[in-house]
Amino acid sequence: MLIEALHINVRFVGEVMSALASEPRTYEQLLAVAREEYDLPWDTTGPVHNRTAWLSVAGMVDLFNGHLHLTDAGRSVLARLVLGRPEPDEADMTKQLTPAVGAIADLIDSLDEAKLRARADGANLYIPGTSANGGSLDALHMLTEAAIPSIKDADFIHFVQANFPKAQTAATARTAREALKALGLIQRTSSTTWSATPGAVAWTESGETLDLARTVHASIAFFGEILGELDGADRLTTGALAERSIQYLPNRQKAVSRSAVNTRLNLLEACGLVSRLSQTVYRTTPLGLAFKDSLPCLSPEDAISRPSTDSYANHDPGSRPDTAQPAVAPGEEIAAELNSAARDSPNHKRLEKAAVAALGYLGLPGEHVGGNGRPDGRVRFGIGAYSPVLAVEAKASAVGRVVDQSLFGLPEHRAQIGAQVTLLIGPGFERRMLREADDDPAIAVIETELLAEIVRRQEHTPLTLGQLAPLVDPSLRATQRRDALLGYWQAQETRSQLEYTLVDILNAEAEDPFEEGGWLDLTSIRRELRTRGYRVGEDEVEEALAFLAWGRIDVVQRSDRGYRCTASVHTAGLRIRALGRQWSTASAHHHQVISGDPR
């Protein structure tokens, strides 16, 4: 009776029993069933553990050999339950995909691979008004109609300010205008006027939201492509989509922000192409699937096949650029070797060396040791002879999880090299072994997938040694490490987005003919940031502005009138990127001097 009551009131209780009726399953397999068959937006096995714990206590399921099994009592109760699956959206299932016609059809037909690659990045899409209940569509429609047949620069700015209370500054109004341009809805017709594009005119005349979606897809990257990403087996969060966006942005060296992804998702939702499952999880609707299939889209393989201009920085001047191979970042190579070696159990030394190399790349210098009765490696956490020493024990497994490995000899291995902590590294560990290692105050369990992720991220969001402390902290369980590091990655991404936005705001102010000198005080800057969705403290804004005004960057000037930009957004990016290249050049010069190379 208790299980029947739970099943009636809580999703995925009887359904767990149904999934186990066909065959025993692991927690991960049950999580996949919950997400794929019942549209539950779960990111971890926690909810599955909770439900199976209830069933286990009631004698309905039993756990052994790493799998959950349905008992005879469970089969008896299951026969009395009425199971439920998500019902299809009848409106979406019956609604026909309206074909593109006229200017919209011409626009879609013209999308070849070159034009798909040439689309705008859409990294700073600000649509005034509300995103909920179709408010973004109303705002776009109103602003587009204002540009039919044409509108002057100043009139457009005043129109935005007059109709949208949160877009009162000229800089915010210009940002909205640039967003409409990026979305393919307006275009310049002279140095002082704008007009709606043919596709935008067709949309305002038809009132068909799919015409808007087609126009936007033809104009910005990673729009229609999101529908394919959300149709995968995994329920991707907005953060995961932001990370995936880099694979669809051939003209950009980093992913777009979550806010840029959210703007895309809000438009797709308003057009009926995606539905929201939770605050950060969406899925493609049946209409969205049909719409995706009707579009020419850029695949991740297409997007990454073209090397960036940086790839040719060191190529032989006599070689042809079209035959040059893209440069592979050292971190990417190390991470790939780490993941590959983790499954190469016959060649155990391969993972031992890969783990030491990965830790060394992160700033933990060390060496491979290996051999019977000895640790696999030793690394130092810090710079200097008196830095703490860590023992490395690497375990590979062809099946993805290490089993039947004794932890008995690890204290002796630590004693041999004067280490207090063992880093137990592997692709995964059987539950009993993982629990034993996690409970040991001298063992830090690190899964190779996480270590590889940290190595990959180190190029774009490098962590300091202090920030890497959770990676080697034995008081943390293996499942807690990534969450402990995530905040540091997000802080860097947020800071770079803030710096970019500050330069963009000050550039926009400099373009305003009514604002002499382009100066903005701190209060106005923070007000402008709020209109763009940034809620940051005064100290954080001042710190970012001080960095941009630093002599090695020098793209922002400060005076008693406030702040103003002395360089474009593009130039600011070049100056910041140049710092890394200058360090690389200095490093190469240093090694030449040490080696006595006359070059």
Side-chain angles (χ1 to χ4, degrees):
M1 292 177 62
L2 173 62
I3 296 303
E4 289 181 23
L6 288 170
H7 170 70
I8 290 171
N9 292 279
V10 180
R11 295 180 67 184
F12 205 62
V13 174
E15 291 76 13
V16 167
M17 299 164 66
S18 176
L20 295 176
S22 59
E23 60 177 336
R25 301 176 190 251
T26 64
Y27 291 107
E28 291 76 12
Q29 290 170 337
L30 287 173
L31 174 62
V33 171
R35 295 169 65 170
E36 295 169 11
E37 298 184 20
Y38 295 94
D39 291 326
L40 292 168
W42 297 339
D43 297 324
T44 70
T45 57
V48 177
H49 276 277
N50 293 338
R51 286 156 175 79
T52 53
W54 300 340
L55 295 170
S56 176
V57 169
M60 304 295 153
V61 302
D62 191 16
L63 173 66
F64 57 91
N65 293 335
H67 288 70
L68 291 152
H69 300 251
L70 189 64
T71 65
D72 290 340
R75 292 183 187 278
S76 175
V77 171
L78 176 61
R80 303 197 300 268
L81 301 181
V82 177
L83 303 179
R85 292 179 182 271
E87 296 185 1
D89 189 326
E90 296 295 336
D92 277 347
M93 291 296 288
T94 58
K95 185 174 181 178
Q96 296 295 314
L97 183 68
T98 306
V101 296
I104 302 292
D106 294 340
L107 184 62
I108 296 300
D109 290 342
S110 70
L111 286 179
D112 55 16
E113 184 175 331
K115 287 190 176 180
L116 286 171
R117 289 179 176 280
R119 291 176 298 174
D121 291 342
N124 189 26
L125 299 173
Y126 168 66
I127 300 175
T130 60
S131 60
N133 302 320
S136 56
L137 296 189
D138 292 339
L140 292 176
H141 199 280
M142 180 188 302
L143 294 171
T144 301
E145 283 193 322
I148 300 175
S150 66
I151 189 170
K152 292 184 177 180
D153 271 314
D155 292 338
F156 194 98
I157 300 303
H158 294 150
F159 182 83
V160 174
Q161 292 174 315
N163 288 278
F164 299 97
K166 292 185 178 181
Q168 291 302 298
T169 67
T172 305
R174 281 192 294 271
T175 301
R177 184 192 65 199
E178 292 303 312
L180 258 70
K181 176 187 175 184
L183 294 171
L185 300 178
I186 62 173
Q187 60 188 355
R188 271 209 178 275
T189 49
S190 76
S191 60
T192 59
T193 59
W194 296 81
S195 292
T197 62
V201 172
W203 165 54
T204 58
E205 292 175 350
S206 70
E208 174 57 63
T209 55
L210 295 184
D211 285 344
L212 170 65
R214 292 178 176 114
T215 302
V216 172
H217 173 71
S219 304
I220 64 169
F222 198 50
F223 186 73
E225 290 82 1
I226 288 181
L227 300 173
E229 286 288 326
L230 294 177
D231 188 38
D234 294 333
R235 287 279 181 246
L236 298 179
T237 63
T238 52
L241 283 172
E243 292 181 5
R244 293 277 297 167
S245 69
I246 187 64
Q247 301 191 43
Y248 297 88
L249 301 169
N251 306 316
R252 185 178 172 86
Q253 301 303 312
K254 65 177 182 178
V256 296
S257 65
R258 291 190 185 189
S259 62
V261 171
N262 280 328
T263 301
R264 288 164 164 83
L265 289 169
N266 288 333
L267 281 177
L268 289 167
E269 184 181 20
C271 293
L273 302 176
V274 303
S275 59
R276 187 193 300 258
L277 299 180
S278 70
Q279 188 65 26
T280 61
V281 179
Y282 294 74
R283 70 168 177 178
T284 306
T285 64
L287 178 64
L289 293 177
F291 182 74
K292 173 183 71 73
D293 292 340
S294 72
L295 295 174
C297 291
L298 195 65
S299 69
E301 293 77 14
D302 294 337
I304 64 177
S305 62
R306 186 180 75 177
S308 68
T309 53
D310 288 345
S311 302
Y312 303 121
N314 298 315
H315 83 283
D316 184 347
S319 66
R320 294 177 57 186
D322 58 349
T323 62
Q325 295 298 314
V328 179
E332 185 65 37
E333 291 183 342
I334 293 172
E337 169 62 12
L338 185 67
N339 280 330
S340 177
R343 299 298 184 110
D344 189 7
S345 52
N347 186 7
H348 59 88
K349 286 189 177 181
R350 184 182 172 196
L351 179 58
E352 296 170 7
K353 294 177 180 179
V356 172
L359 293 168
Y361 185 77
L362 297 177
L364 282 70
E367 60 184 351
H368 173 244
V369 181
N372 291 331
R374 306 172 66 191
D376 296 333
R378 65 184 298 275
V379 296
R380 286 189 289 111
F381 187 74
I383 304 300
Y386 296 101
S387 302
V389 174
L390 307 172
V392 176
E393 299 288 344
K395 307 296 181 184
S397 172
V399 297
R401 287 198 174 191
V402 179
V403 296
D404 298 329
Q405 292 281 344
S406 174
L407 306 179
F408 179 75
L410 298 190
E412 180 182 347
H413 292 181
R414 291 194 294 270
Q416 290 177 12
I417 60 174
Q420 298 297 317
V421 172
T422 294
L423 305 182
L424 182 60
I425 301 173
F429 298 90
E430 180 269 330
R431 180 184 297 182
R432 178 199 57 78
M433 183 181 178
L434 177 61
R435 182 169 57 248
E436 181 183 350
D438 267 341
D439 290 343
D440 192 316
I443 298 178
V445 181
I446 305 173
E447 294 190 355
T448 50
E449 185 176 345
L450 173 61
L451 185 56
E453 180 185 5
I454 299 171
V455 167
R456 287 192 179 97
R457 285 178 176 259
Q458 198 70 355
E459 184 171 352
H460 298 289
T461 50
L463 301 183
T464 65
L465 206 60
Q467 292 168 339
L468 282 169
L471 177 66
V472 300
D473 184 352
S475 68
L476 292 178
R477 308 188 81 79
T479 55
Q480 298 173 322
R481 298 194 191 284
R482 189 178 188 279
D483 288 341
L485 298 168
L486 189 59
Y488 295 121
W489 288 326
Q490 292 175 341
Q492 289 192 53
E493 293 167 355
T494 301
R495 175 60 181 267
S496 63
Q497 292 161 12
L498 172 62
E499 291 163 357
Y500 179 95
T501 304
L502 287 171
V503 175
D504 188 56
I505 288 172
L506 293 174
N507 265 266
E509 190 67 17
E511 294 291 331
D512 190 343
F514 301 105
E515 300 292 337
E516 183 180 355
W519 295 96
L520 272 181
D521 59 30
L522 187 60
T523 300
S524 298
I525 291 174
R526 293 187 64 202
R527 185 183 300 116
E528 181 63 26
L529 284 170
R530 285 195 295 272
T531 66
R532 300 194 185 193
Y534 287 88
R535 298 286 178 178
V536 290
E538 182 175 314
D539 291 344
E540 189 174 351
V541 176
E542 286 187 315
E543 184 180 344
L545 288 167
F547 168 73
L548 295 168
W550 175 46
R552 294 273 279 154
I553 306 297
D554 197 24
V555 296
V556 165
Q557 185 179 10
R558 181 179 182 179
S559 76
D560 55 359
R561 300 178 62 184
Y563 299 87
R564 72 172 179 180
C565 253
T566 57
S568 67
V569 174
H570 173 69
T571 300
L574 289 178
R575 292 185 65 83
I576 292 173
R577 286 196 295 272
L579 292 179
R581 295 193 182 96
Q582 290 166 16
W583 267 82
S584 297
T585 301
S587 174
H589 175 72
H590 171 76
H591 287 294
Q592 288 174 8
V593 172
I594 295 298
S595 64
D597 190 332
R599 292 177 299 176

